[in-house]
């Protein structure tokens, strides 16, 4: 019957869109058969497998070997030549399946598999709130507040830039506006402070009326000068220095301890004139709680980590936004909150205080609740800043940093760090005029989808093999600087693995790991799209 059909000329408008002539396909994936003609009166044949079906948009498994595919439309015939190959899975190989907007079937040969899902750009259905909660981590894990960044996306150019030039002297007194961390929209505190120290790179201010000692404040300032400053400026650059004293001001306020909402914060409004109820202090400032007991959230180590975190905010705001304002650019962008916070948490790691800052807890929290979090979008509870997202971004940015080469330490002076490629990547990211998720891939040099897919694949590989164990430690603080999900030394657990019945709508730019499956006989496996529009990959890692 096939040989009697009329051959269609190359000039005719009918053509086979898929499969593509000359391509090689795999026998474990259904092949899509469609033409450019809007009709259902189509019959498909294979010289090897015979009649395949009779509609446009057919999806069929083909056997291994060479196939001549015939498309028959109203007595006319079009053909393509394809080759179907048997897939020989290797240990640890990831089998990629793109779902798009529909379900999909794949053939799996006998073996043990670790399925996982990667969702990329797109939008899921309305997310059901799993719990009524405004907090997604233990209350003792206090956030560092990056004030005002959350509410502003662009800064319009005006004449409000502060340009006070002053040098402060020890014993000098000054009133500071201190944001109420438990009610940031309310009028701030106004408290009189005294400058008790002026060192090479910072000034230290404490309340005139106080009931605490200054020993721990002196110690954390010493750590800044000897450890944090040389490292943080090497990695990120410098703060704005709007008063041109060459120093950053540290303001230690007991109101932060009392309100129990934060450990410290940076307020970019301080770089602008005090107009329109701005409550700017018109200085380069980072605010901290008073350091106290070792076991407290306000311990000396925790305050030191917060120092690295908040100074990073000050430097990245200067590099990404404030410098462009000074240059007269219009509609200057601020970095997205999820990147801004992720970079500051990464900075704690790289300065040697990531464990002191609680980053292990943030990362662990994400890994135990991966289904609830997108790396760059709102979480399942509608929050655009959360402990889980911070842990996710800290883990991802750390992976990118070390994948780019990371850094090393000077053999003779381990305080000094040397760039091996990772620092260059971070500086290019914060100096870029662009912002957001896609910009990470642009600066790295690969599409963000490709980077994210490889990142999730490496996490899933940790389920079948231990991977790297000797993660790097800081030679001075002895804390880890290199983080991934299989670090038994600090009890970082692998991500939670879900059952199919637990899956609801999947967030964009997220990952889900499923229970491993064992297949005794080759069978067809149905991959479900959980109400997602966009690119979603349902992959398998083959272990044996």
């Amino acid at each position: 019957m096939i040989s009697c059909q009329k051959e269609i000329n190359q000039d005719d408008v009918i053509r086979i869109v898929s499969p593509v002539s000359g391509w090689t396909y795999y026998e474990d994936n259904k092949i899509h058969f469609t033409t450019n003609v809007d009709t259902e009166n189509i019959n498909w044949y294979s010289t090897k497998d015979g009649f395949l079906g009779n509609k446009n948009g057919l999806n069929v498994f083909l056997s291994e070997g060479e196939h001549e595919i015939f498309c028959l439309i109203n007595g006319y015939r079009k053909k393509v030549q394809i080759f179907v190959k048997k897939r020989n899975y290797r240990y640890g190989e990831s089998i990629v399946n793109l779902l798009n907007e529909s379900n999909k079937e794949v053939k799996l040969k006998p073996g043990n598999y670790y399925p996982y899902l990667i969702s990329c750009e797109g939008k899921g259905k309305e997310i059901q709130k799993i719990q009524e909660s405004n907090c997604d981590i233990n209350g003792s894990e206090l956030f560092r507040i990056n004030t005002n960044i959350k509410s502003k996306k662009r800064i319009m150019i005006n004449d409000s830039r502060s340009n006070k030039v002053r040098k402060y002297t020890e014993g000098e007194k000054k009133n500071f506006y201190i944001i109420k961390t438990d009610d940031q929209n309310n009028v701030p505190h106004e408290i009189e402070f005294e400058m008790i120290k002026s060192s090479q790179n910072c000034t230290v201010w404490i309340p005139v009326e106080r009931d605490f000692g200054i020993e721990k404040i002196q110690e954390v300032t010493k750590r800044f000068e000897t450890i944090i400053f040389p490292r943080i400026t090497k990695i990120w650059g410098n703060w704005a220095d709007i008063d041109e004293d060459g120093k950053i001001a540290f303001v230690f306020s007991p109101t932060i301890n009392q309100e129990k909402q934060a450990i410290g914060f940076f307020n970019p409004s301080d770089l602008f004139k005090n107009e329109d109820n701005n409550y700017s202090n018109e200085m380069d400032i980072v605010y901290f709680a008073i350091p106290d007991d070792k076991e407290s959230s306000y311990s000396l180590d925790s305050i030191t980590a917060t120092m690295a975190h908040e100074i990073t905010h000050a430097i990245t705001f200067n590099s990404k936004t404030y410098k462009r304002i000074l240059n007269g650019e219009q509609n200057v962008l601020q970095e997205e909150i999820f990147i801004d916070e992720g970079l500051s948490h990464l900075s704690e790691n790289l300065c040697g205080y990531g464990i002191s800052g609680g980053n292990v807890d943030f990362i662990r929290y994400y890994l135990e609740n991966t289904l609830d979090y997108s790396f760059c979008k709102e979480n399942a509870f509608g929050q655009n800043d959360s402990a889980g997202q911070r842990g996710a971004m800290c883990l991802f940015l750390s992976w990118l940093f070390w994948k780019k080469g990371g850094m090393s330490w000077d053999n003779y002076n381990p305080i000094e760090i040397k760039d091996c490629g990772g620092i260059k990547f971070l500086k290019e990211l914060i100096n870029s005029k662009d912002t957001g998720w896609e910009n990470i891939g642009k600066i790295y040099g690969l599409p963000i989808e490709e980077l994210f897919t490889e990142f999730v694949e490496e996490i899933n590989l940790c389920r079948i093999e231990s991977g790297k164990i000797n993660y790097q430690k800081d030679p001075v603080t002895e804390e880890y600087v290199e983080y991934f999900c299989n670090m038994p030394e600090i009890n970082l657990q692998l991500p939670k693995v879900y059952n199919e019945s637990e899956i609801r709508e999947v967030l964009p730019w997220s990952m889900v790991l499923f229970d491993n499956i064992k297949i005794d006989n080759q069978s067809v496996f149905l991959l479900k799209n959980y109400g997602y529009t966009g690119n979603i990959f349902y992959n398998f890692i083959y272990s044996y």
Side-chain angles (χ1 to χ4, degrees):
M1 180 180 71
I2 295 175
S3 60
C4 298
Q5 301 301 317
K6 180 179 179 181
E7 185 76 29
I8 294 179
N9 296 325
Q10 293 296 321
D11 294 335
D12 290 335
V13 294
I14 298 175
R15 60 184 177 84
I16 296 176
V17 176
S18 178
V20 179
S21 184
W23 279 28
T24 297
Y25 296 84
Y26 285 102
E27 51 88 26
D28 59 351
N29 275 326
K30 280 189 172 180
I31 299 172
H32 187 60
F33 293 82
T34 187
T35 71
N36 64 326
V37 179
D38 185 16
T39 177
E40 293 298 309
N41 188 22
I42 300 176
N43 290 322
W44 295 92
Y45 295 86
S46 161
T47 51
K48 184 174 177 63
D49 290 351
F51 177 68
L52 303 178
N54 58 356
K55 71 173 185 177
N56 213 16
L58 190 69
N59 293 289
V60 179
F61 290 112
L62 292 184
S63 59
E64 181 184 5
E66 188 173 354
H67 293 254
E68 194 167 63
I69 303 299
F70 293 92
C71 160
L72 305 180
I73 303 176
N74 296 326
Y76 289 89
R77 181 178 66 177
K78 189 73 176 177
K79 65 180 180 180
V80 293
Q81 199 89 11
I82 65 171
F83 186 80
V84 178
K85 183 178 179 181
K86 184 177 181 180
R87 196 191 303 269
N88 294 313
Y89 304 146
R90 300 185 304 274
Y91 173 83
E93 179 180 359
S94 185
I95 305 155
V96 178
N97 296 279
L98 176 63
L99 286 184
N100 287 325
E101 299 181 14
S102 61
N103 297 334
K104 185 177 182 180
E105 290 179 313
V106 296
K107 279 184 182 178
L108 295 179
K109 72 176 187 178
N112 198 50
Y113 298 85
Y114 291 81
Y116 63 104
L117 182 149
I118 303 171
S119 68
C120 296
E121 79 284 352
K123 184 178 181 181
K125 292 181 179 177
E126 181 180 354
I127 301 301
Q128 299 175 356
K129 296 197 180 219
I130 308 170
Q131 64 187 44
E132 293 299 326
S133 173
N134 293 320
C135 178
D136 61 357
I137 199 167
N138 189 298
S140 64
E141 299 297 336
L142 304 181
F143 275 8
R144 291 91 173 157
I145 294 178
N146 183 20
T147 313
N148 291 346
I149 286 285
K150 299 174 187 176
S151 60
K152 296 193 296 185
K153 295 298 181 184
R154 293 177 182 265
I155 294 181
M156 302 300 294
I157 303 304
N158 52 43
D159 294 326
S160 66
R161 301 188 300 273
S162 178
N163 57 358
K164 279 190 175 181
V165 178
R166 315 200 26 176
K167 294 190 182 299
Y168 302 94
T169 58
E170 291 185 12
E172 181 173 347
K173 295 180 175 61
K174 171 179 168 60
N175 280 15
F176 282 91
Y177 298 111
I178 308 295
I179 285 172
K180 294 177 180 175
T181 57
D182 58 351
D183 187 6
Q184 295 182 50
N185 294 321
N186 207 338
V187 175
H189 305 285
E190 186 173 358
I191 302 171
E192 186 179 21
F193 283 77
E194 176 186 356
M195 194 184 82
I196 62 167
K197 184 179 179 63
S198 178
S199 61
Q200 184 175 355
N201 299 294
C202 72
T203 60
V204 180
W205 300 77
I206 62 175
V208 171
E209 295 183 8
R210 58 186 180 273
D211 58 359
F212 56 85
I214 63 172
E215 295 79 11
K216 288 185 174 65
I217 290 176
Q218 291 173 329
E219 175 59 26
V220 78
T221 303
K222 179 181 177 182
R223 289 184 180 185
F224 166 73
E225 291 288 4
T226 57
I227 300 177
I228 301 297
F229 175 80
R231 289 176 168 182
I232 210 163
T233 51
K234 171 70 175 181
I235 297 168
W236 305 102
N238 295 98
W239 53 85
D241 194 23
I242 62 171
D243 47 18
E244 298 183 11
D245 66 346
K247 303 177 183 183
I248 191 166
F250 295 152
V251 175
F252 291 85
S253 176
T255 61
I256 300 176
N257 304 67
Q258 295 159 8
E259 291 158 359
K260 302 185 185 306
Q261 296 296 313
I263 302 172
F265 62 88
F266 161 69
N267 185 358
S269 295
D270 284 328
L271 304 185
F272 301 87
K273 289 181 181 179
N274 188 349
E275 295 177 349
D276 302 323
N277 296 317
N278 194 36
Y279 298 111
S280 169
N281 291 307
E282 299 190 41
M283 293 170 62
D284 299 271
I285 305 175
V286 177
Y287 304 84
F288 302 106
I290 308 299
D292 57 18
D293 301 326
K294 186 175 182 180
E295 299 301 322
S296 165
S297 294
Y298 305 110
S299 69
L300 187 61
D301 287 344
S302 180
I303 296 292
T304 307
T306 303
M307 186 170 281
H309 184 109
E310 299 303 335
I311 294 172
T312 302
H313 280 315
I315 296 173
T316 54
F317 179 80
N318 179 47
S319 299
K320 176 72 68 176
T321 304
Y322 194 71
K323 283 182 178 178
R324 291 186 165 83
I325 293 175
L326 296 183
N327 289 336
E329 296 182 29
Q330 298 293 320
N331 297 322
V332 180
L333 292 172
Q334 296 182 172
E335 187 55 89
E336 297 289 342
I337 184 69
F338 68 91
I339 296 179
D340 196 44
E341 290 297 346
L343 292 173
S344 281
H345 282 286
L346 174 63
S347 188
E348 297 174 38
N349 300 357
L350 302 182
C351 288
Y353 288 94
I355 295 177
S356 295
N359 282 342
V360 173
D361 297 322
F362 282 88
I363 294 171
R364 185 184 298 117
Y365 190 86
Y366 165 69
L367 294 175
E368 292 173 352
N369 302 277
T370 56
L371 190 58
D372 294 340
Y373 295 99
S374 165
F375 279 66
C376 58
K377 305 292 183 181
E378 288 185 350
N379 66 14
F381 316 109
Q383 299 166 317
N384 61 7
D385 182 23
S386 58
Q389 187 181 59
R390 291 186 183 205
M393 284 304 299
C394 182
L395 192 66
F396 183 51
L397 291 169
S398 177
W399 179 80
L400 291 171
F401 175 84
W402 294 102
K403 186 178 173 66
K404 265 296 186 183
M407 67 185 192
S408 62
W409 296 265
D410 188 276
N411 291 331
Y412 300 100
N413 179 13
I415 293 291
E416 297 292 332
I417 56 178
K418 297 185 288 185
D419 185 21
C420 300
I423 293 175
K424 181 176 182 290
F425 162 66
L426 293 179
K427 282 187 173 178
E428 288 178 352
L429 187 62
I430 68 169
N431 284 303
S432 166
K433 68 176 182 178
D434 297 319
T435 63
W437 182 246
E438 299 289 341
N439 192 48
I440 296 175
K442 178 181 176 182
I443 298 302
Y444 190 93
L446 290 172
I448 190 64
E449 185 173 285
E450 182 177 330
L451 290 171
F452 186 62
T453 301
E454 184 178 348
F455 166 73
V456 178
E457 182 175 309
E458 286 197 20
I459 288 177
N460 202 33
L461 276 169
C462 293
R463 299 166 68 189
I464 65 172
E465 57 185 29
S466 59
K468 182 178 180 181
I469 295 300
N470 297 318
Y471 290 91
Q472 296 191 71
K473 286 185 176 181
D474 189 290
V476 177
T477 67
E478 291 297 313
E479 293 196 14
Y480 285 96
V481 294
E482 187 181 2
Y483 288 63
F484 206 54
C485 64
N486 58 339
M487 297 173 64
E489 298 93 337
I490 54 176
N491 197 30
L492 267 181
Q493 300 300 314
L494 291 177
K496 178 181 177 181
V497 177
Y498 294 87
N499 295 313
E500 291 271 341
S501 60
E502 296 179 88
I503 302 302
R504 58 187 188 281
E505 290 84 1
V506 177
L507 294 170
W509 297 108
S510 65
M511 71 172 192
V512 183
L513 272 61
F514 295 98
D515 290 331
N516 65 305
I517 56 174
K518 184 177 181 180
I519 296 177
D520 295 322
N521 300 300
Q522 179 166 290
S523 58
V524 175
F525 196 83
L526 176 64
L527 309 183
K528 298 178 181 178
N529 186 326
Y530 296 93
Y532 189 86
T533 57
N535 283 348
I536 188 164
F537 297 90
Y538 198 133
N539 300 353
F540 297 86
I541 284 190
Y542 178 73
S543 64
Y544 64 81

